[in-house]
Amino acid sequence: MNRSARAFWLRSPGHGEIRDVTLPEPAEGEVVVRALYSGVSRGTETLVFRGGVPESQHAAMRAPFQEGDFPGPVKYGYLNVGVVEEGPQTLLGRTVFCLYPHQSRYAVPVSAVTVVPERVPAARAVLAGTVETAVNAVWDAAPLIGDRIAVVGGGMVGCSVAALLARFPGVRLQLVDADPARAKTAEALGVDFAAPGDALGDCDLVVHASATEQGLTRSLELLAAEGTVVELSWYGDRRVALPLGEAFHSRRLTVRSSQVGTVSPAARAGRGYAERMALALDLLADPALDALITGESTFAELPELMPRLAAGEIPALCHRISYTGNGLT
């Protein structure tokens, strides 16, 4: 079998490169996967690319199959879909999702891959890691029928959360973002859209995912008394100031964090990481989620693409990377 592969590495903050890799013989209980697509999670990955991971969070921010250390050289990423080339007979030829960096071929334990349902296209399955985050956030948020809800921040995670919350009956739901272009994405997801200044108040629940101080402040302003903000944003090494004076205490508001690294305690007993990922992939049968993929490039273009994504030159939610051609398949 072909043991050659190519991997994208962050050589140093702001500088990426593609390196040749030779895979070892897979051990018993491992599979070899040939990548079809990977996805660039613009928020977290561009923060890593800029070197913005605080030293205190270097261990917590490690991806499952990361090599190297922050700030670099480091091989980082976690949205990869491919076909099993070697492994157990039951998995040969199956399309699988893995929390693996951008690499054309890789060997991982069988337990690290999740079979993509046949009704979910491989090109859409790259969203599984982000939809998994959204599933955990909705478990943490615990919305009720009839709740008034806002999702502040129309990035990849915020849009995924909005797409799931749109399935709840009787809720009043708005996606709130300063970029008017996000209105088109909201429409595709079947969600009402509003600019921050026009958003409806008296919310029982606000999910914040803009990763900005202004967005978190606006989230607090949108709450009704006793309301809750579920904070999904990752700020890296930035400090955030909040108006915790004014009416914060008299209105008994709550700010609580949600992070995908731990399965929400609100999940049903017995649901672990594997069950959460399988659920995320099942939810990706909805073609409306294609709206979260806003661009595609080849793997060979990644070193030139990442600086442009990090600088905001390319407006993107999830930017998909294709491994077909370029001598990779």
Side-chain angles (χ1 to χ4, degrees), residues 1 30-33 82-96 110 113 115:
M1 296 295 291
E30 288 190 334
V31 290
V32 174
V33 179
V83 174
V84 175
E85 291 188 321
E86 296 182 67
Q89 191 65 36
T90 54
L91 287 176
L92 285 179
R94 301 295 298 273
T95 301
V96 295
V110 168
V113 301
V115 173

